[in-house]
Structures are given as structure tokens and as C-alpha cells.
Amino acid sequence: MAKILHVSDKHVTIYIKIRGKMQHGGKRMDKHLNSIVINNSDTIVKDWLVEVSKNRHNDYTSAISEDLFESTNREFVNVIFSSLEKQGITSELDDFSEKLINLGWPLSYLTDGLQAFRRVTINFILSQSEKVDSDHLSKVLDMVDNWVDPIINQLVNEYSGSWEHIVSLQRVALQELSAPLIPVMENITIMPLIGTIDTERAKLIMENLLEGVIKHNADVVLIDITGVPVVDTMVAHHIIQAAEAVRLIGSTCILVGIRPEIAQTIVNLGIDLGKFPTKSSLRKGFQAALEMTNRKIVHEKGSDEGIESLLDSLNGE
Amino acid sequence: MDFQSCVKINREWDIVGARQIGREHAKKIGFGTVDQARIATAISELARNIYLYADTGKICFEIINEIDRKGLWILAVDNGPGIADISQVMEDGFSTSGGLGAGLPGVKRLMDQFDIISETGKGTEIRTVKWVRK
Ligand SMILES: Nc1ncnc2c1ncn2[C@@H]1O[C@H](COP(=O)(O)OP(=O)(O)OP(=O)(O)O)[C@@H](O)[C@H]1O
Ligand SMILES: [Mg+2]
């Protein structure tokens, strides 16, 4: 007895909240529609699962295992119903969407699922209605929209929020990667550059270089451009300025990893790199750096491994 | 000439896109590594000039396939402020932006043929060709 009372209580609540959002419609009618959906949740869920499985083959979820797909669908539909019953955003919905975001499920899984729910529910209500006129139809559509739309909005908001968050984190990670400094040895630091250099990155290189030279107390800093695909006048200009700035704070910059074709284009552009030392490879640059800091590689008997092999591993020369 | 593929230059990263497409064409035609680098660099200069001085424009490519020779046409077009004194901008070291002033004279040396058509207030068109060396 108590249980039944509880259920009907809930229906009353739903009915009041929904009514607040609707522009027109009789009380009895709304209550009636609600009961149809809640009382027939089994049938609706079944129809919905069929509908959702149709999406499975042609798209994003095809890589997900059958078991996981089915259990997620069940969880999803339960979350939808609990949102309907509680009329609004529930903590279940929050938890569920957070879980899917973390697992990397696409937003379209959720929005497609909710669209399918909208279709299935409308079809079901209409199939249960004795007479379907335009007035009745528009009430049904209104009501289902009022259920489904807030859930979709909530999910889209949450997804885009987390997406922006990820993008901003990746941006930070990328910035750290884009001009790294490696203090390989006391007074010698290497900055390996890999990938395209745009103006923003060029500025970052300059900043990191100066900061790093001071922080690591470097006498020599090697800029390795082996991995830079194109050295145009903008890149060359920034490198020249960076080297000049390093010189002003009392250190030396050696440009290394100049591939033959890059050497050619730099010459064609008429850019003069004569002001600061350049070396074709990191290995040669490192040897020059050792000399500049009054060190050299000593070959000890029986220990061929060591710096030599370390250097060999730096670039396959 | 009917240019087949064009890349719009609206943002800085479009320069990279133009470069990549140019390099693909160059590879397909049979240019060696050094010439590929020359072509990519020339495109970079032309596209960056568009981005810096004209705001927007486009870089177009056309493969030349004649009986006795093959090559790549590159066309840089913009509706920017134009260039009043062409011989001045072709001097090494001339720059209105604090740059090296090596871009345009550099492109002329990187490529085999080079022409500028420009009208102040209307825009600039730079046509340049690189031939495959036999
Ligand atoms: N598309 C263009 N529209 C208008 N002015 C241009 C255009 N391209 C170049 N210029 C002018 O010609 C000058 C020289 O260009 P150039 O590319 O040789 O050197 P830069 O761009 O100043 O420096 P950088 O060496 O970095 O290329 C520019 O400073 C600019 O005033
Ligand atoms: Mg330029």
C-alpha cells in the first residue's frame, strides 16, 4: 500500500512541474500522458533499445564491445527515466555524463539517444491515444520536448565545458613542449625544436631560451633545428634575435642540425648567419660546446661506451 | 592560366597549409629534396607577406606539363594596399615591418621565374615558376 501511495505522489509532482512549463493543456490530459509514459516504461525502454542499436553499426560506437554498449544503454535509459520522474537534472545524469566524458564517448551518442527517446515516446503515446487531432498532437510534442530538451542542454553544456577544459590543458602541454630546454651538462644546455614555428612559438622560444640560460647558468646553449621543416625569414629572424640576446647576457648560442636543404634555402634567402657559430649536427655542436667550456672527450681504455655512444645515440651520424 | 588549386590565406596557420600543399605538388612533379625545400620556403614568404601586409589573399598552384619540361607555377594574389615601388621592395634588406627584408628578393633567388604586378590601393599579384632540373 505504502508503495503505491508513493508512486502516485510522484506522479502528482511531475504533473505540477510540467504544467508550469506548458502554455496550455488540461490537467487531466497531462496527468494522463505522464502516467502512460511512466507506467509503460518497459515497453518504451524496449523500443528505445531497438532504436539505439540501429545507430550502432554505421558510426562511432562500433569500436565499443557489445556488452559495454548494452550495459551503457541500460544505464542511460534509467538515467533518462529518473530525470523524467524527478523532473529535471539529477545527480545521476551528472554522474553518467561525467563517466561517458571520461571514457571518451562522443556527445552524439547521448544526443542521438535522446532524440531516439523523443521519437519512441511520442510514437508510443500516440499509439495509446484514442483520437489524434492536431491539438492533442501538439500537446504531446510539447510535453515530450519539455522533458527531453533540458536534458540535452545540460549534456551539451557539460560536454563543451569539459572539452574547453581539455583544450586549455593541451595548450599548456603544447606550450611546454614547444620550446623545451635540456641542461645536459653543467653550463651546457640544449633546446631541441621540432615542428612548425609560428610567431607565437618563436616568441616563446626566445623567452624560454633567455630564462633557461639564466636558470641553468649555461655558458653555451645549442639550438637544434633538425626537426624544423621550413626555415623562412621569420624563423631565421627570430633565431638571430634570440642568439643576439643570449650573447648580450654573456653566453653563446650554437645553431645545430642544419640539414643540407635548409642550408641551401638560407643561402638563397641571403640570410647571414655568420655572426654566431653553426654546426651541421648536434654531435659536432656538442663537441664545440665542450671545447668552449674547456672540456673534451677523453677516451679511456676499455670504456668505449660513455659519451661517445651517448653522442651517437643523439643523432645517427 | 587556369589555376587548379588555391589555398586561402586568412590566418597565420594557413601559411603552413599552403606550404604543405605546395610541397605535395612539388613531390608529385618530381622535384628533389632541396628544390622541395626551396618551393616550401618561397610559398612561406609569399603567404606570410599576404598575411602581414594584405590581411587576406590566396596562394594558387598549377602544374606545368609541357613536352620538353615540367614545373610548378605558384601565384600569390591579394587585394591589399599594393606595392608602390617594386624595385625598392626587391632590394635586400628593405622592410617596412622590421623584418629582415629578405623575403621577396629571396623568393626571386629560390625560384626560376618571378614577376610582380601591383597597383597601389588595389592589390598585388606575384607569379613565380620553378622548373624541374633534368
Ligand atoms: N603582398 C604585399 N602587399 C603589400 N606590400 C607588400 C607585400 N609583400 C611585401 N610587401 C612590402 O614589401 C616589403 C618587403 O617584403 P619582404 O618579404 O622582402 O620583406 P619583409 O616581409 O619586410 O621581411 P622578411 O624578410 O621577414 O620577409 C615589405 O616590408 C612590405 O612593405
Ligand atoms: Mg616578407
Side-chain angles (χ1 to χ4, degrees), chain A residues 50-90:
Chain A
V50 171
E51 191 80 356
V52 167
S53 300
K54 279 189 203 155
N55 292 339
R56 174 147 168 83
H57 303 290
N58 48 3
D59 67 3
Y60 45 83
T61 53
S62 52
I64 294 160
S65 82
E66 199 67 38
D67 283 353
L68 181 61
F69 186 64
E70 269 170 25
S71 66
T72 307
N73 283 344
R74 293 207 172 270
E75 198 180 338
F76 186 17
V77 79
N78 285 338
V79 167
I80 296 176
F81 267 97
S82 93
S83 298
L84 296 186
E85 285 170 18
K86 295 183 184 143
Q87 256 312 288
I89 311 314
T90 60

Side-chain angles (χ1 to χ4, degrees), chain A residues 214-269:
Chain A
I214 292 165
K215 184 171 146 207
H216 302 303
N217 193 23
D219 288 333
V220 183
V221 47
L222 299 150
I223 302 181
D224 182 7
I225 59 163
T226 314
V228 178
V230 173
V231 177
D232 58 10
T233 54
M234 187 277 286
V235 171
H237 193 201
H238 276 96
I239 290 174
I240 290 170
Q241 284 183 328
E244 184 61 20
V246 167
R247 196 185 64 81
L248 287 176
I249 56 173
S251 304
T252 306
C253 202
I254 306 180
L255 190 62
V256 304
I258 304 168
R259 285 174 281 129
E261 67 270 26
I262 300 296
Q264 293 258 26
T265 56
I266 289 176
V267 169
N268 284 147
L269 286 171

Side-chain angles (χ1 to χ4, degrees), chain A residues 233, chain B residues 45 48-49 52-53 103-104:
Chain A
T233 54
Chain B
E45 296 303 335
R48 188 173 301 280
N49 280 355
L52 283 178
Y53 310 115
L104 290 177

Side-chain angles (χ1 to χ4, degrees), chain A residues 196-200 229-234 236-237 240 261 264-265 267-271, chain B residues 12-13 16 19 23 33-34 37-38 40-41 44-45 48 98-100 102-103 106 109-110:
Chain A
T196 298
I197 297 175
D198 61 350
T199 38
E200 198 186 326
V230 173
V231 177
D232 58 10
T233 54
M234 187 277 286
H237 193 201
I240 290 170
E261 67 270 26
Q264 293 258 26
T265 56
V267 169
N268 284 147
L269 286 171
I271 294 167
Chain B
E12 191 182 2
W13 274 88
V16 181
R19 235 153 58 183
R23 209 190 265 275
T33 340
V34 176
R38 286 193 175 110
T41 309
S44 197
E45 296 303 335
R48 188 173 301 280
L100 290 175
R109 286 188 291 261
L110 287 164

Side-chain angles (χ1 to χ4, degrees), chain B residues 17-132:
Chain B
R19 235 153 58 183
Q20 268 160 0
I21 290 181
R23 209 190 265 275
E24 267 166 39
H25 283 310
K27 230 183 253 175
K28 211 163 36 184
I29 302 168
F31 282 106
T33 340
V34 176
D35 278 345
Q36 281 178 34
R38 286 193 175 110
I39 289 167
T41 309
I43 294 167
S44 197
E45 296 303 335
L46 296 174
R48 188 173 301 280
N49 280 355
I50 290 176
Y51 169 73
L52 283 178
Y53 310 115
D55 231 22
T56 60
K58 61 182 177 179
I59 304 281
C60 298
F61 303 95
E62 179 70 29
I63 294 169
I64 312 168
N65 220 335
E66 292 170 5
I67 307 164
D68 52 340
R69 57 180 184 175
K70 281 201 284 186
L72 181 65
W73 260 94
I74 299 165
L75 181 77
V77 195
D78 66 61
N79 300 313
I83 297 167
D85 187 344
I86 289 175
S87 63
Q88 190 178 39
V89 300
M90 291 311 293
E91 279 169 29
D92 273 300
F94 177 81
S95 173
T96 55
S97 64
L100 290 175
L104 290 177
V107 173
K108 189 171 179 184
R109 286 188 291 261
L110 287 164
M111 302 293 283
D112 295 326
Q113 247 163 273
F114 181 92
D115 293 294
I116 301 185
I117 308 151
S118 187
E119 202 176 319
T120 40
K122 289 232 168 120
T124 303
E125 187 174 318
I126 296 174
R127 294 164 167 256
T128 171
V129 181
K130 187 84 187 163
W131 299 107
V132 179

